[in-house]
Amino acid sequence: MTDGIDRVFADRETGMRFISARAMVDHYLERYGRNVGRPIPRIDASGRADIRHGSALVSVTVLEDHGVLVIHAPVGGIPDGNREALYRELLEASYLSTSDAAFAVDASSQRIVVRALRRLSGLDYEELEDLIDTVGSVADEWDERFRARKP
């Protein structure tokens, strides 16, 4: 962290303490992999790990300098026309049907994503698991909808 405050990252269930948020999220991802029965990659040098969830590719990103965990998955490109109707549909879906996730536009890739944000402090395993599953499920449904749309 760049704010000069020492942070303690600990698993509330086990009491295990971690030297960093990245180490904590890595531990949780390893546990997630055991629970879903497949290996999950560790956080890479950029702070990111990608997880396949159905047809969706879910990225788990640790932004330690900001104290935030970002979980997101692309669902489709931004169309050239009729954006207002699409954006309205996505905003309405974000209201209730995406649970803790919401739709957003990734300006750098010009893609629509499903994303969830969470402070790193106080994060427990069950929250991480729920956010991965929520973003993955919503993205899995919506990427199929985007593929079915006419260009």
Side-chain angles (χ1 to χ4, degrees):
M1 296 261 146
T2 59
D3 58 11
I5 298 171
D6 291 330
R7 302 264 194 284
V8 175
F9 298 99
D11 183 349
R12 284 185 257 186
E13 183 179 317
T14 65
M16 186 175 186
R17 295 170 74 91
F18 303 95
I19 61 170
S20 67
R22 184 178 290 202
M24 177 184 64
V25 173
D26 264 339
H27 177 77
Y28 290 165
L29 289 175
E30 182 181 328
R31 184 172 164 191
Y32 181 79
R34 285 193 307 271
N35 287 345
V36 297
R38 69 180 191 280
I40 301 295
R42 297 178 63 83
I43 300 293
D44 66 18
S46 71
R48 178 174 159 167
D50 293 329
I51 303 168
R52 181 64 57 191
H53 193 288
S55 62
L57 185 63
V58 177
S59 296
V60 176
T61 306
V62 176
L63 300 174
E64 284 190 281
D65 288 347
H66 298 285
V68 175
L69 177 73
V70 180
I71 301 173
H72 77 279
V75 294
I78 299 172
D80 290 331
N82 206 14
R83 288 183 182 180
E84 184 178 334
L86 173 62
Y87 290 160
R88 181 178 181 95
E89 178 184 6
L90 296 176
L91 283 170
E92 288 175 356
S94 291
Y95 182 63
L96 289 177
S97 67
T98 58
S99 189
D100 291 331
F103 289 100
V105 172
D106 179 354
S108 64
S109 69
Q110 289 297 297
R111 304 208 29 98
I112 295 169
V113 299
V114 177
R115 64 107 180 113
L117 302 172
R118 167 66 166 81
R119 281 182 315 125
L120 286 161
S121 62
L123 177 70
D124 62 29
Y125 169 76
E126 287 75 17
E127 290 173 298
L128 179 71
E129 179 183 54
D130 181 57
L131 291 172
I132 292 170
D133 289 342
T134 296
V135 169
S137 295
V138 172
D140 189 32
E141 175 188 343
W142 280 82
D143 66 2
E144 292 173 13
R145 287 186 188 191
F146 269 83
R147 279 194 298 274
R149 289 175 191 262
K150 294 186 180 184

